[in-house]
Amino acid sequence: MKDKITVLISSCGTIALGPSLVDLLSGMSVKVKIIGLDMSCENAGHLMVDKFYKSPKGGTDEFVDFVKDICITEKVDIILGTSIENVLFPILSRKKEFDEIGVKIPACDIEDLKIANNKILMLEHLRSLEIPQANFYVPKDCKDFIKKAKLLGYPKRDVVVKPSSMSGNRGFKILSSKIDMSFEDILKKPDIDPFITLETYCALLEKEKIFPEILMMEYLPGQDYSIYVYAEGGEAKSIIPMKRLKPKPGVSLISEVDLNKKIIERVRLITKHFNLNWNINIQMKVNDVGEPVVYEINPRIAGTIIMTKHAGANLIEHGVLKTLGMDSVLNKPKDKVKMFRYLKAVFSEG
């Protein structure tokens, strides 16, 4: 067993994941040197890694060349991609070059990744599985957008609208006819309000020269779940569902492990169906008849994965060690472990 490994984290400045991923790697049973990349230095993550490099824009050949050079210079063993579009897609498209320098890139196969990551393709592929699903449509134009909203129950029912392939809560909106705010409501509203009327959204769409690829889906009113999975070639080795008790856009402030048997079984089927691999995240929410249904798959490391360590099954450590051919035992997770997320300041001088 190696006594030290070097791990490269892309996008180490992300608030939801960067600092917690550094904590996970720093606390591993083997000594870890952490190399961090980000396009900006204006974040806490770049102060927490052992060495930081300001990178060019992701998703380009220039970015991949830059990452490859860093891997050679720093003798990197493994790359942990935290962004699919900007990091995993471009790097995996040149995976052979990284294989030649001995750098591991744990992820799903690139073709499986393209399907699971695209919200529309994912839901279309999910139709062949005999599990409850959310109703959804892909509108062709503004007129069709209005028609599909009505089919989903608008204005009596809210409707979710989001781009086909954006991470976190980017572009997520809820069409609602119930927007009637007082000044007191304005004072209570968070900075990012997801609610918008059909008329306002349509007016924005009409300004676009090319109609965007967007997903319209029924609003799921029940409990929100974020499920963390470690998989090997479509076989789920560990499934840890977590209730999102106090969600904010792109991050959970309070979460609790809930080893729900129905959710675990459905996630096992989904993992096999999409041939998912390594550390991935599946989002489910309970519909109006009490069934948990999938609304998103994130085939990458996700924001609250630090919870898996405190639940007794450290999915990051296990995944890193297994990828590098090192011994690791994955324990069964503990139920009802609760996480409270709070702000922590990191300082620099000069």
Side-chain angles (χ1 to χ4, degrees), residues 127-230:
R127 280 176 169 154
S128 62
L129 269 184
E130 293 184 1
I131 59 175
Q133 291 178 247
N135 293 324
F136 72 95
Y137 295 101
V138 182
K140 301 187 295 290
D141 51 39
C142 289
K143 185 177 180 180
D144 193 38
F145 181 87
I146 296 170
K147 178 182 176 182
K148 295 300 192 290
K150 291 179 179 178
L151 286 175
L152 289 167
Y154 191 90
K156 289 185 177 181
R157 296 174 64 120
D158 292 346
V159 174
V160 169
V161 184
K162 52 188 172 181
S164 62
S165 56
M166 294 289 283
S167 61
N169 264 46
R170 293 179 181 89
F172 172 85
K173 287 293 178 183
I174 300 173
L175 302 181
S176 179
S177 62
K178 309 176 189 70
I179 301 173
D180 183 19
M181 294 171 59
S182 66
F183 182 70
E184 185 178 357
D185 291 327
I186 292 173
L187 297 178
K188 292 178 181 178
K189 284 283 181 183
D191 293 335
I192 304 174
D193 184 0
F195 293 97
I196 188 170
T197 63
L198 176 69
E199 293 75 19
T200 302
Y201 203 103
C202 281
L204 295 172
L205 287 175
E206 287 170 352
K207 294 179 182 178
E208 295 297 307
K209 293 180 180 178
I210 300 175
F211 192 83
E213 186 180 58
I214 53 177
L215 170 71
M216 302 180 73
M217 190 176 70
E218 67 171 301
Y219 177 74
L220 302 169
Q223 177 63 55
D224 199 359
Y225 285 88
S226 188
I227 303 104
Y228 290 79
V229 184
Y230 176 77

Side-chain angles (χ1 to χ4, degrees), residues 11-229:
S11 310
C12 71
T14 57
I15 294 174
L17 182 56
S20 61
L21 187 52
V22 171
D23 281 346
L24 279 171
L25 294 170
S26 299
M28 281 179 52
S29 56
V30 62
K31 191 172 182 181
V32 179
K33 180 181 179 182
I34 305 171
I35 309 299
L37 302 184
D38 204 275
M39 290 196 309
S40 172
C41 298
E42 298 300 312
N43 57 71
H46 93 279
L47 297 171
M48 299 174 69
V49 296
D50 296 307
K51 195 163 185 180
F52 174 77
Y53 289 88
K54 186 176 179 180
S55 72
K57 184 179 179 180
T60 63
D61 280 335
E62 180 190 5
F63 173 79
V64 180
D65 291 337
F66 176 83
V67 172
K68 184 180 174 183
D69 288 343
I70 298 301
C71 287
I72 294 170
T73 301
E74 297 291 347
K75 296 181 173 57
V76 169
D77 294 296
I78 184 171
I79 297 173
L80 302 187
T82 58
S83 168
I84 294 174
E85 292 86 358
N86 294 327
V87 179
L88 285 176
F89 277 153
I91 288 180
L92 288 173
S93 68
R94 291 170 56 181
K95 184 175 181 294
K96 187 177 179 181
E97 295 176 40
F98 288 88
D99 290 339
E100 290 170 351
I101 59 174
V103 177
K104 301 290 186 181
I105 310 165
C108 300
D109 177 84
I110 193 165
E111 294 306 317
D112 295 323
L113 196 66
K114 287 176 182 177
I115 294 170
N117 185 60
N118 184 292
K119 296 172 179 61
I120 294 170
L121 287 177
M122 182 273 292
L123 287 171
E124 288 175 345
H125 276 255
L126 201 60
R127 280 176 169 154
S128 62
L129 269 184
E130 293 184 1
I131 59 175
Q133 291 178 247
N135 293 324
F136 72 95
Y137 295 101
V138 182
K140 301 187 295 290
D141 51 39
C142 289
K143 185 177 180 180
D144 193 38
F145 181 87
I146 296 170
K147 178 182 176 182
K148 295 300 192 290
K150 291 179 179 178
L151 286 175
L152 289 167
Y154 191 90
K156 289 185 177 181
R157 296 174 64 120
D158 292 346
V159 174
V160 169
V161 184
K162 52 188 172 181
S164 62
S165 56
M166 294 289 283
S167 61
N169 264 46
R170 293 179 181 89
F172 172 85
K173 287 293 178 183
I174 300 173
L175 302 181
S176 179
S177 62
K178 309 176 189 70
I179 301 173
D180 183 19
M181 294 171 59
S182 66
F183 182 70
E184 185 178 357
D185 291 327
I186 292 173
L187 297 178
K188 292 178 181 178
K189 284 283 181 183
D191 293 335
I192 304 174
D193 184 0
F195 293 97
I196 188 170
T197 63
L198 176 69
E199 293 75 19
T200 302
Y201 203 103
C202 281
L204 295 172
L205 287 175
E206 287 170 352
K207 294 179 182 178
E208 295 297 307
K209 293 180 180 178
I210 300 175
F211 192 83
E213 186 180 58
I214 53 177
L215 170 71
M216 302 180 73
M217 190 176 70
E218 67 171 301
Y219 177 74
L220 302 169
Q223 177 63 55
D224 199 359
Y225 285 88
S226 188
I227 303 104
Y228 290 79
V229 184

Side-chain angles (χ1 to χ4, degrees), residues 256-290:
E256 183 178 29
V257 175
D258 179 13
L259 301 179
N260 183 302
K261 291 182 179 179
K262 182 183 285 188
I263 288 176
I264 289 172
E265 184 54 36
R266 286 182 185 173
V267 167
R268 196 177 303 282
L269 292 172
I270 292 162
T271 302
K272 183 177 181 180
H273 184 72
F274 288 94
N275 194 35
L276 299 175
N277 190 59
W278 212 65
N279 276 298
I280 55 100
N281 171 256
I282 295 175
Q283 304 281 335
M284 301 180 80
K285 205 172 182 192
V286 176
N287 64 15
D288 55 5
V289 293

